Amino acid sequence: MAEPAQRPPRIVAELGRPETPSETAARKAESSRIHRSSQTLRNLVVALVASLAIVLFIVLVVVRPDGATRAPIDYRSVASQSQPTVSQTLAAPKLPSKWTANSASLETGADGIQAWSVGFITPTQQFIGLVQGIDANGSWLSDEVKKARSTGTVTIDGTVWTVYDRRSASDPGNYAYSLSTVIGASTVVLHGGGSTAEFRTLAAAISTQLGRDR
C-alpha cells in the first residue's frame, strides 16, 4: 500500500526557507492564542450587550415612579363623598387651574385618628402632600413631620403655621419643607418639595376654606 504523501514544509517568506518544527509549533500556538482571545472578547461583548438590554428593560418596564403612572383625580369629589363619615370639614380647597392631585383618601390609623390625605402636583411639577388629622394629638403631628424640629412660624392670610425647613438636609425626600397648623379640631400638615410660594398658595386656600366652614 502506498504511503500518503506528506505535505511539504511551509516556506517562511521572511526567511526564504522552510519552517523548522519548533517554528511551526510556535506559529500554531500563537494562532490558537489569538483565536482564544478573539473568542473571549466576542463573548464579553455579547454579555455586555445582554446586560444592557436587561437594565433597559427594567428601567422602561419595571421601575416606574408611582407618581408618573397616576392620572389626575377629582380630589374635591372624593372629599365630598368622604365627608359624611367625619365630624370636621375635609380640606379640599379650590386651587388655580395648573394644580392637580394624583391621590386622595380618608383612612383611620392604628391610633384611631382619622386622616384625610391629598397628594398635589404643583404648577412646577413638584409634590406637596396635605394631611389633615381629625382630633389629632401631638404624637400624631410629630409622626407626620417625621419628628422634625420647628424652624419658626409664618402667618399666611391670618393663620399661623409652624415651619419645618429641612431643605439643607442631605436627603429630606418629600419632607424638605413642611407646614402645620390647627384649625378647629383639625391638625393640618403640608409637606413636600414645592417652592415657598407654592406652599403659601396651598396654605392660604386651606385657611380660607376651613376658616369659612368653622
Side-chain angles (χ1 to χ4, degrees):
M1 178 183 293
E3 295 184 358
Q6 294 185 350
R7 296 178 61 184
R10 182 173 180 270
I11 302 300
V12 181
E14 294 83 357
L15 301 177
R17 60 172 173 76
E19 279 184 332
T20 65
S22 61
E23 289 172 339
T24 299
R27 174 175 56 79
K28 290 181 177 180
E30 178 64 12
S31 178
S32 296
R33 185 191 67 77
I34 293 174
H35 178 72
R36 288 194 301 271
S37 297
S38 176
Q39 287 292 104
T40 300
L41 178 60
R42 186 179 297 108
N43 291 339
L44 286 174
V45 171
V46 171
L48 179 60
V49 171
S51 299
L52 290 176
I54 293 172
V55 171
L56 182 61
F57 172 80
I58 293 174
V59 171
L60 294 180
V61 179
V62 180
V63 181
R64 291 187 180 181
D66 290 343
T69 61
R70 296 180 185 177
I73 65 170
D74 186 351
Y75 65 95
R76 302 185 73 191
S77 176
V78 178
S80 179
Q81 295 169 14
S82 303
Q83 188 61 65
T85 64
V86 294
S87 59
Q88 299 295 307
T89 299
L90 296 179
K94 185 175 183 180
L95 293 165
S97 60
K98 291 186 179 181
W99 285 72
T100 60
N102 62 12
S103 65
S105 64
L106 177 65
E107 299 178 355
T108 301
D111 52 9
I113 295 175
Q114 287 182 298
W116 164 246
S117 303
V118 183
F120 289 103
I121 304 301
T122 73
T124 59
Q125 297 302 298
Q126 296 298 312
F127 172 82
I128 298 182
L130 178 161
V131 187
Q132 176 186 3
I134 309 300
D135 295 318
N137 52 36
S139 177
W140 181 91
L141 173 60
S142 179
D143 288 342
E144 289 303 318
V145 297
K146 301 304 180 185
K147 296 179 170 51
R149 293 184 178 182
S150 167
T151 56
T153 60
V154 61
T155 300
I156 303 172
D157 284 6
T159 299
V160 178
W161 295 76
T162 300
V163 179
Y164 310 85
D165 191 343
R166 293 189 292 181
R167 289 167 172 161
S168 60
S170 59
D171 185 19
N174 282 331
Y175 293 85
Y177 190 80
S178 303
L179 296 175
S180 74
T181 194
V182 176
I183 301 177
S186 294
T187 299
V188 181
V189 175
L190 307 180
H191 67 88
S195 67
T196 301
E198 289 171 333
F199 270 92
R200 291 183 67 92
T201 295
L202 180 55
I206 292 170
S207 298
T208 297
Q209 181 210 354
L210 297 187
R212 181 187 65 232
D213 293 340
R214 274 187 294 181

